[in-house]
Amino acid sequence: STMCTKIITENFAINPELQGLPEDIKEQIYENVSLDLPILTMAKHINYERYWQRACKAHYKMLKLSDTDVNWKSAYLERH
């Protein structure tokens, strides 16, 4: 449900484990989770490329990368 997804998203920094959740629910969470989480939490628990794309674009506005030819997680972590 939307309420559960919202609560999980808001508490992701405290409990980032999403094992057992359907992929569509995980995607909803990653689309809305904060971009200001501790880097170790982000790196360890988030492999969703659109999250990393959002993080790159938010934190590195001058970064010019092709949307199709990049591993966004690697790009973010290399610059952090």
Side-chain angles (χ1 to χ4, degrees):
S1 91
T2 304
M3 179 64 97
C4 292
T5 304
K6 183 176 187 242
I7 291 168
I8 293 168
T9 301
E10 290 170 355
N11 292 291
F12 188 85
I14 298 166
N15 185 10
E17 295 295 332
L18 301 182
Q19 291 177 328
L21 292 178
E23 286 303 312
D24 62 322
I25 299 296
K26 288 181 189 179
E27 288 179 11
Q28 288 176 28
I29 292 165
Y30 293 140
E31 289 291 335
N32 294 294
V33 76
S34 172
L35 298 175
D36 296 317
L37 295 170
I39 188 69
L40 293 177
T41 299
M42 294 165 59
K44 183 177 179 183
H45 296 285
I46 300 176
N47 291 313
Y48 184 67
E49 277 296 291
R50 287 204 317 222
Y51 173 86
W52 292 102
Q53 181 180 17
R54 270 192 323 127
C56 278
K57 290 181 176 183
H59 291 272
Y60 306 111
K61 294 183 185 345
M62 302 302 288
L63 184 63
K64 301 292 183 208
L65 297 172
S66 166
D67 286 350
T68 57
D69 297 324
V70 69
N71 178 306
W72 289 101
K73 183 175 183 176
S74 293
Y76 185 90
L77 295 174
E78 287 170 7
R79 284 156 185 83
H80 187 75

